[in-house]
Amino acid sequence: MRSTAAKTVREYAVELPGAVELFEELGLDYCCGGNVELDRACARAGLAFEPVLKHLETLRTDLKHTAPLVGLASAPLPELIDHILATHHDYTRKALSRIPALLDKVVVAHGETHPEVREVRALFRLIADDLDLHLQKEEAVLFPYILDLVRTVSGSGEPPHACFPTVAFPIQAMETEHDTVGLLLRRMRAASGDYLPPEDACPTFIEAYRALLALETDLHRHIHLENNVLHPRALALEKEFRKMTESHSVS
C-alpha cells in the first residue's frame, strides 16, 4: 500500500467518498491537475498538509462505520457511462443554454460599472463552444467504442470497429480538451473574483455568478469521473480485449 504522503489527489478522489467535496471546498484540483502528490498539491495551494490529511483520514474512518456502497469507481462501465450522460452531459447542456441570457443581461445592466463581466462572458462563450463539440465527440465516438469493448469482452457482441488503432487516441484528445476547459474555468473564476457578485449586483447578476459556480463544480466532478475513472478502466479493458484476440489467433 502506498504511503499517505505518496498518494496523489486523484487517488484520494477516486477511492474515498467525500474527498471530492473536501477538495472543492479547499480549491484543490482533483480532475485535470490531480495527478500530483497530496502534500505537493497542498503546498501549491498554500494549505497546511497535515490538517488536510487528517480530514481525509477522518472521512476514511467514518466510511468504515457506514454501510458499504457501490461507488461509481467500481460500477460497471455501462452504468458509469449512463451516469455521466444523465448527470453531467444533461446538466452541462442545460447550463450552456441558460447562462448566456443571464450574462447578456448582466453585461447590458452592469457592463459600464463592472467591465470584468464582459471578460467573463467572453470566456464563458469559449468554454461553451469547446464543450458543445466535446460532448458530441464523446457521445458519438468514445462512449460507443467503450460499450462495444464491454460487449465483446463479455462475449455478447462483435469486435468493435473504429477509425483509430487504440482507444488511447480519443482518450488523449478528450483529456487535452479537458485541460483546455480547465484553464478557461480558472481564467473565468479569476475574472469574476471567485464568482463573488459586487455589492450593487442585481438578482440577475447574483444568479449568473451562482450558475457559473455550479457549472464549474459540476465540470470538475464530470472531468474527474472521465479522466480518473472511465479512461483508465477503458484502457485496461482494451488491453484485456487485445490479449483475448491474441490468444484466439494463436489457438
Side-chain angles (χ1 to χ4, degrees):
M1 180 180 294
R2 298 185 67 192
S3 70
T4 54
K7 279 193 174 184
T8 65
V9 177
R10 163 184 167 172
E11 288 174 315
Y12 278 109
V14 169
E15 72 181 38
L16 189 58
V20 164
E21 287 79 4
L22 175 64
F23 295 152
E24 284 285 350
E25 181 182 339
L26 297 176
L28 287 174
D29 185 355
Y30 58 89
C31 52
C32 297
N35 197 28
V36 61
E37 290 81 3
L38 180 63
D39 55 349
R40 290 176 55 202
C42 288
R44 290 179 182 177
L47 298 169
F49 170 64
E50 291 300 332
V52 175
L53 180 61
K54 184 176 180 180
H55 198 146
L56 289 167
E57 291 306 316
T58 299
L59 290 175
R60 191 185 304 280
T61 301
D62 291 344
L63 182 63
K64 292 178 182 178
H65 298 287
T66 59
L69 299 175
V70 178
L72 288 170
S74 57
L77 285 175
E79 182 179 322
L80 175 59
I81 288 173
D82 283 346
H83 173 84
I84 290 171
L85 289 170
T87 302
H88 298 296
H89 281 215
D90 183 63
Y91 178 88
T92 298
R93 286 195 168 99
K94 288 178 179 176
L96 296 185
S97 67
R98 174 173 179 259
I99 292 174
L102 292 173
L103 289 177
D104 286 345
K105 291 179 181 178
V106 172
V107 168
V108 170
H110 298 273
E112 293 300 320
T113 54
H114 297 285
E116 70 276 5
V117 297
R118 299 182 187 278
E119 183 182 0
V120 170
R121 183 176 65 174
L123 289 166
F124 172 81
R125 286 174 174 173
L126 291 175
I127 292 170
D129 288 344
D130 284 355
L131 285 175
D132 181 55
L133 183 58
H134 179 83
L135 299 184
Q136 292 181 51
K137 288 188 288 188
E138 286 185 334
E139 293 170 8
V141 179
L142 179 58
F143 292 177
Y145 182 80
I146 294 173
L147 293 173
D148 283 346
L149 274 178
V150 171
R151 287 188 284 267
T152 301
V153 171
S154 67
S156 61
E158 295 296 320
H161 298 284
C163 59
F164 45 81
T166 169
V167 73
F169 280 43
I171 282 176
Q172 180 59 54
M174 295 301 98
E175 291 190 359
T176 297
E177 292 177 9
H178 288 166
D179 289 343
T180 299
V181 169
L183 176 60
L184 290 171
L185 285 172
R186 289 192 291 275
R187 289 176 57 191
M188 189 165 65
R189 173 177 276 275
S192 68
D194 291 329
Y195 302 114
L196 293 176
E199 291 184 2
D200 61 339
C202 66
T204 301
F205 201 148
I206 294 170
E207 179 57 26
Y209 274 15
R210 183 184 294 129
L212 288 173
L213 177 58
L215 175 64
E216 178 193 81
T217 300
D218 187 78
L219 283 171
H220 284 166
R221 299 181 184 195
H222 178 178
I223 292 171
H224 159 64
L225 278 179
E226 292 182 354
N227 280 12
N228 300 337
V229 180
L230 178 65
H231 295 171
R233 291 182 60 190
L235 289 166
L237 185 65
E238 186 183 64
K239 187 176 181 180
E240 181 181 350
F241 165 67
R242 294 195 186 284
K243 285 183 179 179
M244 288 174 50
T245 304
E246 291 170 2
S247 64
H248 290 160
S249 64
V250 170
S251 59

